[in-house]
Amino acid sequence: MTLKNLLLLLLFIFCFTSSFSQMILNRDTSLTISENGIAFSSAFSGGINAGQFSEIDLNLDGIMDLVVFDKSGNKISPFINDNGNYIYAPKYRSAFPKVHDWMLLADYNCDGKNDIYTYSSAGMAIYENTSSNNLSFSLVTSLVLSPAPNNLYISPVDIPAIADIDYDGDLDVLSFGVLGGTVSYHKNMAIELTGSCDTVVFEFSESCWGLFYEGLNSYILNCPNCICPQIVNPMTTKSKQKHAGSTLLAIDIDNDNDMDLVLGDVSYNNLNLLINGGDNQNALMISVDSVFPQNNNNTIAANMNVYPAGYYLDVTNDGIKDLIVTTNSQNNSENFESCWLYENGGQTNNPDFNFVKTNFLQSDMIDLGKSSFPTFYDYNNDSLLDLVVGNYGYHVANNNPISSLALFKNAGTKNIPKYELIDRDWQDISNVNLNTNLNIPALNISPTFGDLNADGHKEMLLGDADGKLHYFNNIAGNFTIAAPNYFNIDVGYFSQPQLVDVNRDGLLDIIIGEQDGSLNYCPNSGTATNPEFDTIITNWGGIDVDTNYISTGYSSPKLIDSNGVYQLFVGSFTGTIYQFTNIEGNLNGQFQPIYSSAASLWDGGKCSFDFADINNDNHPEMILGNLSGGIAYFSSDSLLNDTTTIPVNILNNKQVKFRIYPNPSTSKLTVESNEIGTIKIKNILGKTIYKSRKNNYLFEINTSHFLNGIYILQLNSMSSKIVIQ
């Protein structure tokens, strides 16, 4: 049973209070970034860790484009097919529903437009492609049944095969059952029942399709009398018995009108090909190729290090489907070499695969491993801001990831910045044993810079996965470790620091984000030449960006001075950027959350960012990092007065009373205020779903019919406007 959870975050906006300035940021691809003298053609595509590839016509020009879903951060990356070149087009991302774990595109209703199949509640949801003038989708079913009332079981760690298994014209589903080992066949009954594809009716047809059993790096073929189980209700099986993970791709490899099976497993490095020696009505796997897709041309086998997955689509624009092999693991992927492309020199139903590259799309983009933490810093004192980016780490076979700092030198001019990636392990951080307990390098390196000792040079402070800080002294541009475990500061896990003069006393203080989503404030109680951090103020500002309340916030703070007033931006694990005001003179109080244009700049999970004026236009630009190890760039045309306003000491203003409860709400919401006016409730898309007149001090709203989610409540009166998001 799903608990209804309607969350409203307090945001007070009054018409009679003072206004503030807000940055209006726009995605920008004009900034040039190169490595080894070669410019990245799609630098800001955002990185790929565990990509899932599908094709769809994004701009409705009749040409198939590309969509990559990265389960690392649940990031959707659309690419427009421009005469065979794939151009990153994030504007189409907003047309897609929010999905997680896996997403495949296929035409479920035979209208020529690829629809969305995605994970939902131990099963699968389907969204219809309803595009006409613009790309759009509509939910068909949130949970496919097979048969009713049982869901079509698919594990969130698996990739199912969606194909016309029985060659009757509609799309069936193959998936591993709850116990693993055998493949379940869910037959689409649309054609049989209605004569049309445009129906979602599945029948659990076989629990051991192909009559094979997959063990640990082994197979038992032709096993009707061995260990193939009887059809059971997957919902009655104990969850602890679920298998570790497998990926499936059904294609006719030998042009005999039945589906063969390309299988990946969490315990494999290679894809395996199982040949169907039966027919399209009665599958029978008769042989296994463990080095797929090797062929007579000696094409190399796909080697993904961990958990391979195959995708079949035409990316060479010759009308014949090619093979892309990736990893289905969010961790331990090969970072910028995890998208292997095999061009098909044969036919779609009789392929001849030839290896092309290990970094399809990845070679065109900045990919710094897993996670990226950018900050601006002039490393060579040429008055041009360079870029330093930390990461969780690069993959290392059979070992833990290795974290490092990437240095992007600004090789442009004061007005036209131009960056070159000159060092992926700047200052040799990967070999510095910052983890003093284990005497090994640290993970999740997050940098910040500032002059802590008044010597005219900025020192470096690094956060790490263990919640510690590490101090590096700057000697003529070279950084040496001076104080690991700086002042024994420990915020738990995943510290992300910023050096900034918070209390405006002329000394640099430290703000630290952490895994649980809160912020920590360490005021500098020392001197200009001898800093001292002996106090940690936890839960600073009352901020918590952990929307799941399970210590997965991964707060990343950035306090900036906007026209003499501090504004605080905080990144989060979900990729949402939150903005807070009411900081000046209120360092021990609760900060005010406000609606911000930065909240719409989503570019992947676990976002981290920095602001700076890098083109001398007196307006800040932003570099945004994400969980996939990529970066995005946003420029600012101007600093504009926002239409919203911030109250002054509103919580102490006895003339205005306002309270809502309970929040979150499950069935009933009470609005308590001395303000009389019109109440509106809008969904996150801005659509008004409720409107009523408030004439009394207490006003109750029935929320039992609302869907789960975040809503905006607005109260308009003659004297004020109050908005609660």
Side-chain angles (χ1 to χ4, degrees):
M1 179 178 172
T2 301
L3 178 65
K4 185 176 295 294
N5 225 12
L6 309 177
L7 180 62
L8 298 98
L9 306 174
L10 265 64
L11 167 61
F12 296 86
I13 303 170
F14 286 76
C15 62
F16 51 80
T17 56
S18 59
S19 64
F20 69 96
S21 296
Q22 181 180 159
M23 287 181 294
I24 307 299
L25 295 157
N26 305 294
R27 191 181 295 272
D28 193 332
T29 59
S30 65
L31 185 65
T32 299
I33 301 184
S34 61
E35 185 177 19
N36 298 322
I38 302 174
F40 291 96
S41 61
S42 191
F44 305 114
S45 299
I48 301 174
N49 284 354
Q52 302 168 12
F53 286 73
S54 297
E55 54 189 352
I56 187 175
D57 185 2
L58 293 169
N59 56 356
L60 310 182
D61 64 350
I63 299 173
M64 280 298 190
D65 308 297
L66 191 61
V67 172
V68 183
F69 174 75
D70 193 342
K71 69 184 300 176
S72 180
N74 296 317
K75 180 164 68 75
I76 294 174
S77 297
F79 293 84
I80 291 292
N81 186 344
D82 183 17
N83 295 318
N85 298 313
Y86 289 99
I87 309 300
Y88 186 49
K91 71 176 183 179
Y92 294 101
R93 180 186 289 145
S94 61
F96 287 82
K98 290 187 179 297
V99 299
H100 56 92
D101 293 298
W102 58 264
M103 182 184 79
L104 300 173
L105 303 186
D107 185 7
Y108 99 91
N109 57 358
C110 306
D111 65 351
K113 298 181 291 189
N114 276 356
D115 311 291
I116 296 175
Y117 294 76
T118 187
Y119 177 77
S120 174
S121 305
M124 180 174 69
I126 299 177
Y127 292 83
E128 180 186 359
N129 187 338
T130 55
S131 304
S132 178
N133 297 319
N134 297 288
L135 184 68
S136 63
F137 298 93
S138 177
L139 180 65
V140 176
T141 177
S142 60
L143 187 63
V144 175
L145 305 179
S146 179
N150 303 316
N151 66 289
L152 193 162
Y153 176 79
I154 303 174
S155 167
V157 299
D158 286 357
I159 302 291
I162 299 172
D164 187 2
I165 302 299
D166 56 2
Y167 283 67
D168 68 347
D170 52 27
L171 295 179
D172 312 295
V173 177
L174 299 177
S175 67
F176 271 92
V178 176
L179 300 180
T182 60
V183 171
S184 299
Y185 172 36
H186 300 271
K187 177 178 171 60
N188 191 338
M189 300 299 293
I191 294 293
E192 286 81 357
L193 295 176
T194 67
S196 170
C197 302
D198 197 9
T199 305
V200 180
V201 182
F202 283 90
E203 178 183 275
F204 189 6
S205 180
E206 298 180 40
S207 63
C208 193
W209 182 83
L211 297 180
F212 76 95
Y213 180 87
E214 183 209 13
L216 185 63
N217 290 308
S218 65
Y219 295 89
I220 300 176
L221 304 181
N222 194 21
C223 66
N225 298 316
C226 56
I227 50 179
C228 288
Q230 299 295 314
I231 295 178
V232 297
N233 180 0
M235 301 305 295
T236 63
T237 307
K238 296 181 179 180
S239 60
K240 67 180 182 179
Q241 297 177 306
K242 295 179 181 179
H243 75 296
S246 300
T247 65
L248 300 174
L249 172 66
I251 59 176
D252 185 2
I253 206 80
D254 48 12
N255 199 27
D256 62 352
N257 292 315
D258 58 41
M259 290 296 177
D260 308 291
L261 196 64
V262 178
L263 189 150
D265 190 273
V266 71
S267 62
Y268 300 169
N269 292 340
N270 299 331
L271 288 174
N272 290 182
L273 171 65
L274 282 72
I275 295 295
N276 187 352
D279 55 41
N280 56 41
Q281 301 300 314
N282 298 283
L284 176 64
M285 300 303 166
I286 59 174
S287 65
V288 179
D289 178 3
S290 61
V291 290
F292 181 79
Q294 282 189 356
N295 54 34
N296 295 329
N297 295 327
N298 292 319
T299 286
I300 63 174
N303 189 338
M304 277 295 108
N305 178 65
V306 64
Y307 202 180
Y311 303 92
Y312 204 40
L313 63 165
D314 180 17
V315 296
T316 57
N317 295 280
D318 59 359
I320 301 170
K321 291 186 177 184
D322 310 292
L323 178 68
I324 295 176
V325 183
T326 68
T327 176
N328 197 42
S329 172
Q330 302 184 56
N331 304 307
N332 300 318
S333 68
E334 284 285 355
N335 306 128
F336 41 83
E337 292 187 342
S338 60
C339 300
W340 288 34
L341 170 61
Y342 292 83
E343 185 176 5
N344 187 354
Q347 302 298 319
T348 295
N349 287 337
N350 190 19
D352 180 19
F353 295 118
N354 297 280
F355 172 75
V356 177
K357 60 173 63 176
T358 61
N359 54 1
F360 175 64
L361 294 185
Q362 290 174 302
S363 60
D364 302 324
M365 65 180 65
I366 296 170
D367 193 333
L368 301 172
K370 182 180 179 180
S371 298
S372 49
F373 311 105
T375 189
F376 291 105
Y377 166 64
D378 183 8
Y379 89 101
N380 55 359
N381 296 311
D382 63 354
S383 299
L384 301 177
L385 282 175
D386 311 292
L387 182 64
V388 178
V389 187
N391 65 5
Y392 180 85
Y394 287 115
H395 164 79
V396 178
N398 302 317
N399 209 333
N400 291 323
I402 295 181
S403 296
S404 59
L405 296 174
L407 175 62
F408 295 78
K409 177 184 177 181
N410 189 343
T413 65
K414 189 175 182 180
N415 298 321
I416 306 176
K418 181 180 178 181
Y419 287 89
E420 183 176 358
L421 177 53
I422 62 173
D423 196 341
R424 287 181 179 264
D425 192 11
W426 184 57
Q427 301 296 323
D428 199 30
I429 295 298
S430 68
N431 291 310
V432 181
N433 292 335
L434 298 178
N435 188 325
T436 55
N437 292 329
L438 301 177
N439 198 35
I440 59 174
L443 291 174
N444 207 79
I445 295 297
S446 179
T448 184
F449 298 86
D451 188 359
L452 283 166
N453 56 12
D455 64 351
H457 304 290
K458 290 186 176 182
E459 283 69 52
M460 179 170 68
L461 203 62
L462 299 181
D464 72 7
D466 291 326
K468 309 289 198 307
L469 300 181
H470 310 284
Y471 173 80
F472 287 73
N473 199 19
N474 186 345
I475 303 175
N478 293 313
F479 290 91
T480 58
I481 182 66
N485 302 331
Y486 190 51
F487 281 95
N488 293 316
I489 295 171
D490 187 346
V491 300
Y493 297 100
F494 293 91
S495 57
Q496 296 193 57
Q498 181 194 7
L499 286 167
V500 58
D501 185 3
V502 176
N503 54 13
R504 300 190 185 274
D505 65 351
L507 303 176
L508 289 177
D509 311 297
I510 311 174
I511 305 171
I512 314 170
E514 60 168 298
Q515 180 178 330
D516 75 0
S518 65
L519 295 184
N520 305 271
Y521 169 42
C522 301
N524 189 345
S525 60
T527 65
T529 59
N530 189 24
E532 182 77 26
F533 301 98
D534 52 10
T535 301
I536 301 180
I537 299 173
T538 60
N539 299 310
W540 188 53
I543 293 171
D544 186 358
V545 298
D546 180 11
T547 57
N548 295 318
Y549 304 105
I550 54 174
S551 296
T552 56
Y554 292 89
S555 52
S556 177
K558 195 65 62 176
L559 184 68
I560 66 169
D561 191 319
S562 177
N563 295 331
V565 178
Y566 273 142
Q567 296 188 49
L568 178 63
F569 295 82
V570 184
S572 65
F573 184 77
T574 64
T576 300
I577 300 174
Y578 299 87
Q579 187 175 353
F580 300 85
T581 61
N582 195 28
I583 299 165
E584 304 282 353
N586 187 37
L587 298 183
N588 295 318
Q590 302 286 304
F591 300 158
Q592 189 72 46
I594 63 172
Y595 173 79
S596 171
S597 62
S600 64
L601 304 183
W602 194 92
D603 208 66
K606 201 179 180 184
C607 65
S608 178
F609 48 88
D610 198 12
F611 299 98
D613 180 11
I614 62 173
N615 58 5
N616 200 37
D617 64 351
N618 294 318
H619 306 301
E621 286 74 48
M622 183 177 76
I623 289 287
L624 176 66
N626 64 27
L627 185 60
S628 299
I631 59 174
Y633 173 62
F634 297 86
S635 62
S636 175
D637 295 330
S638 60
L639 286 174
L640 301 175
N641 287 330
D642 190 59
T643 56
T644 60
T645 55
I646 299 299
V648 179
N649 296 325
I650 191 63
L651 296 179
N652 297 322
N653 189 340
K654 297 181 180 180
Q655 296 180 350
V656 179
K657 297 180 180 180
F658 189 88
R659 192 161 72 102
I660 61 169
Y661 54 88
N663 187 20
S665 171
T666 58
S667 60
K668 183 178 70 174
L669 182 71
T670 299
V671 179
E672 180 179 336
S673 177
N674 57 359
E675 297 291 304
I676 304 299
T678 301
I679 286 182
K680 293 181 180 179
I681 295 181
K682 301 179 180 180
N683 61 23
I684 202 67
L685 300 177
K687 182 180 179 180
T688 300
I689 62 171
Y690 176 90
K691 180 179 179 181
S692 184
R693 178 71 180 175
K694 178 183 179 297
N695 295 313
N696 301 311
Y697 183 80
L698 291 176
F699 187 81
E700 292 185 350
I701 303 172
N702 181 10
T703 62
S704 62
H705 61 287
F706 289 11
L707 297 176
N708 296 348
I710 298 175
Y711 293 84
I712 299 169
L713 185 149
Q714 177 178 308
L715 171 59
N716 291 333
S717 72
M718 293 295 294
S719 62
S720 63
K721 178 182 178 182
I722 305 172
V723 176
I724 303 95
Q725 177 177 311

